[in-house]
Amino acid sequence: MTNSKEKKHIAVFAFPFGSHPIPLFNLVLKLAHASPNFHFSFFGTQHSNHPLLSIPHIPHTITFHTVWDGLPEGGNIPGSHPVERVNLFLQAAPDNLLKAVEETGQTFTCIIADAFVTPSLILAQQFNVPWIPIWLPLSSSLCAHFHTHLIRQNCANNVSGDTLLDFLPGLSKMRVDDLPEDVVKANCGEDESETLFSKTLASLGSVLPQAKAVVVNFFEELDPPLLVEDMKSKLKPFLYVGFLSLSLPLPPLPPSHTDATGCLSWLDNHKGGSVAYVSFGTVVTPPPHEVLAVAEALEACGFPFLWSLKDHVKEFLPIGFLERTKNRGKILPWVPQTQVLGHGSVGVFVTHSGCNSVYESISNGVPMICRPFFGDHGMTAWMVEDVWEIGVRVEGGVFTKDGLPKSLNLILVQEEGKKMKENVMQLKKTVLDAAGPQGSAAQDFQTLVELVSTS
């Protein structure tokens, strides 16, 4: 590997699952535009790279390379849990990444990687180049994984789910039940059922301090100050570069008639702040009884609604629901979410608490009703309700016919909901200021550019 100042060649390793590749690639695009003399080799699986190839105007300084996904020949694992694909990828990664790099015939001056791909650190050490991991979920979840061993020590004696994490800086009012399920394990992490993915995340407390810098897909102004202080004391530098899934400020809405889904035209016919938008992302599908409960709640409460619902899930709707609600409801398998949230008619977002959805809701100033499902959803919902006060978690933690209308009425009608709207609009302004040319995110991004330049 070379440290030549004339040529900077950066290897980038994606975590090829869920929504992870896109924000990482957006960061690479920003770096490529900021430093046209850098060259980037972007490593992902064939499946994860494919949607990125259609992004327009990719600089010629970015090239794509394919790594093996770790799956057996044929790519199928009948009856397996989705995390098994992650485990197979991570299991193959140490040799797999090295092979992919060697096949390029290139030398690299720096390695940037999704923080979930911790085997990339081994590669960086082998070639004696800086390693810069990128944390794409909320930074509060990074804090939980960073302190996994501390959490397990304090929660080893079968504490209740309502026990507060009062020993964690900035997260002292969070409950055990809000944590990702793999963080708290029996026997302080010695549970034999613990997956390789879980072990990888639990190792972050020892792995991340070896990084040249740790970059987070977030704004410092949104985090509890004690969390920021704690992370910055342990990871130097700890860089907040803003929402990598969005370009801020958001562009104005297109003319409604150009929206092929018809969502914007439909929203045009409703009063400001009156519509409930319901979506659970591309990965989550609520269990049938909760789909039924959401439908019964929407029908009973009387509010107009726009629901992004996959076609194969419609079989769980009540008989006659579509016909009975056709005059005030619209259901589609896909909607242009950022544009929908940017329409003035939308008053609340019913969400699974995925970080990209939450980022879009904040950036458009829309309060939320959160129903966490897995992973860091619980921590994100905690931030929404208890830290930012811009929404609520659904009553009882699951959708019910009686609980969801209470939350909808709270946000769309009651004074408390108006306060949440004011809070989220202030948060939107905070984000826009931080994302501006002189904002904190721009300054941290420039620090990242300088670190890569001097590698």
Side-chain angles (χ1 to χ4, degrees), residues 173-383:
K173 294 183 179 180
M174 184 176 287
R175 305 170 306 145
V176 168
D177 273 351
D178 296 323
L179 293 168
E181 57 186 8
D182 283 351
V183 169
V184 181
K185 281 287 181 180
N187 302 320
C188 295
E190 297 174 4
D191 189 338
E192 292 182 0
S193 68
E194 191 171 14
T195 66
L196 176 57
F197 183 42
S198 176
K199 291 177 181 177
T200 297
L201 294 177
S203 72
L204 292 176
S206 59
V207 170
L208 292 182
Q210 301 177 63
K212 176 81 170 181
V214 175
V215 178
V216 287
N217 172 33
F218 206 56
F219 291 97
E220 178 177 340
E221 291 81 356
L222 302 187
D223 262 339
L226 287 177
L227 185 152
V228 176
E229 181 182 350
D230 180 54
M231 287 291 93
K232 287 193 171 185
S233 71
K234 294 176 171 63
L235 303 171
K236 301 178 180 180
F238 189 66
L239 304 175
Y240 288 87
V241 296
F243 297 156
L244 295 172
S245 55
L246 297 171
S247 178
L248 299 176
L250 295 171
L253 293 183
S256 295
H257 70 270
T258 64
D259 169 27
T261 68
C263 291
L264 299 184
S265 297
W266 184 84
L267 289 169
D268 287 343
N269 295 319
H270 293 83
K271 294 189 301 181
S274 66
V275 175
Y277 168 55
V278 184
S279 176
F280 308 114
T282 57
V283 177
V284 171
T285 300
H289 69 278
E290 290 197 60
V291 174
L292 175 64
V294 170
E296 291 175 336
L298 291 174
E299 184 171 1
C301 71
F303 297 115
F305 65 88
L306 174 61
W307 190 354
S308 178
L309 185 69
K310 302 178 183 72
D311 284 333
H312 73 275
V313 185
K314 290 181 181 178
E315 64 178 290
F316 305 126
L317 297 174
I319 296 174
F321 171 78
L322 296 175
E323 178 65 24
R324 293 192 300 272
T325 60
K326 65 181 182 181
N327 291 328
R328 61 179 177 83
K330 187 176 182 65
I331 297 181
L332 293 168
W334 181 87
V335 305
Q337 180 162 290
T338 304
Q339 294 175 11
V340 164
L341 289 170
H343 196 287
S345 293
V346 174
V348 63
F349 180 16
V350 183
T351 173
H352 63 301
S353 314
C355 64
N356 286 336
S357 291
V358 171
Y359 295 169
E360 291 174 8
S361 204
I362 290 173
S363 300
N364 282 292
V366 178
M368 285 163 271
I369 297 171
C370 298
R371 192 312 195 184
F373 284 88
F374 59 79
D376 62 352
H377 293 173
M379 297 191 73
T380 306
W382 174 77
M383 294 286 288

Side-chain angles (χ1 to χ4, degrees), residues 139-175:
S139 41
S140 56
S141 66
L142 171 58
C143 179
H145 289 296
F146 189 90
H147 291 297
T148 292
H149 295 296
L150 178 62
I151 292 171
R152 290 176 176 175
Q153 288 170 9
N154 280 271
C155 302
N157 297 321
N158 297 317
V159 298
S160 73
D162 289 331
T163 299
L164 295 177
L165 304 173
D166 53 11
F167 52 88
L168 286 184
L171 301 181
S172 61
K173 294 183 179 180
M174 184 176 287
R175 305 170 306 145

Side-chain angles (χ1 to χ4, degrees), residues 439-453:
S440 59
Q443 295 174 22
D444 277 8
F445 175 75
Q446 186 56 41
T447 299
L448 174 61
V449 173
E450 292 168 0
L451 288 172
V452 175
S453 298

